[in-house]
């Protein structure tokens, strides 16, 4: 529910549509690769569907296909690498990391601190610029709530 509020308040997405990745490969294949999807995720999704539009669990490696990118506002992954590898590629390393649910806007460039790039003149600044753009937009959206 907090994520839904973030989408409404910070992004101004009123009728949110979310999709959730499975925990196991191929979302467990109906228990063939583990029962976490059946025992943990499906009951949670059933409860959430009473208040929000959410689909899942589905295979994390197929969530970000073009048709889903047009259908859903929010992609929920269970693991760091399920999300960040495709995110960085799709955003062309111009994306931002945003921590939702905080009273302050917390963002960072998708490359993190990039200490290994300091002084090498190879870092791209677009992700950092996008952080500032997002802060401006989200702070305006929050003021208008």
């Amino acid at each position: 529910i907090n994520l839904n509020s973030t989408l409404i308040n910070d992004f101004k997405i009123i009728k949110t549509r979310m999709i959730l990745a499975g925990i196991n490969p191929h979302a467990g294949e109906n228990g063939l690769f583990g029962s976490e999807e059946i025992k943990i995720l499906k009951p949670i999704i059933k409860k959430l569907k009473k208040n929000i539009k959410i689909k899942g669990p589905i295979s994390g490696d197929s969530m970000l296909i073009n048709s889903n990118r047009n259908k859903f506002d929010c992609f929920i992954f269970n693991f760091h690498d399920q999300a960040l590898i495709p995110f960085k590629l799709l955003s062309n390393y111009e994306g931002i990391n945003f921590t939702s649910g905080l009273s302050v806007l917390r963002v960072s460039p998708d490359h993190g601190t990039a200490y290994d790039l300091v002084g090498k003149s190879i870092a791209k600044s677009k992700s950092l610029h996008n952080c500032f753009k997002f802060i401006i937009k989200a702070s305006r959206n929050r003021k208008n709530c």
Side-chain angles (χ1 to χ4, degrees), residues 69-80:
R69 291 171 61 199
N70 294 326
K71 281 190 234 174
F72 297 98
D73 307 303
C74 182
F75 297 81
I76 305 166
F77 292 91
N78 291 292
F79 302 105
H80 182 271

Side-chain angles (χ1 to χ4, degrees), residues 2 4 16 25-26 33 49-50 71 75 85 87 96 138 145:
N2 287 339
N4 193 54
T16 60
H26 307 285
F33 294 121
K49 281 185 175 183
K50 294 176 184 174
K71 281 190 234 174
F75 297 81
I85 293 169
F87 171 71
I96 68 167
C145 285

Side-chain angles (χ1 to χ4, degrees), residues 1-53:
I1 302 297
N2 287 339
L3 180 56
N4 193 54
S5 297
T6 294
L7 293 170
I8 294 168
N9 296 329
D10 292 343
F11 294 90
K12 291 299 179 210
I13 301 170
I14 304 306
K15 292 185 178 186
T16 60
R17 300 162 301 164
M18 300 181 204
I19 187 168
L20 173 68
I23 295 170
N24 294 298
H26 307 285
E29 294 281 358
N30 294 316
L32 185 62
F33 294 121
S35 60
E36 289 83 358
E37 283 75 17
I38 296 166
K39 292 181 178 177
I40 298 170
L41 295 182
K42 285 188 178 184
I44 292 169
I45 290 170
K46 185 177 179 179
K47 284 182 184 180
L48 289 172
K49 281 185 175 183
K50 294 176 184 174
N51 298 307
I52 62 175
K53 184 176 181 183

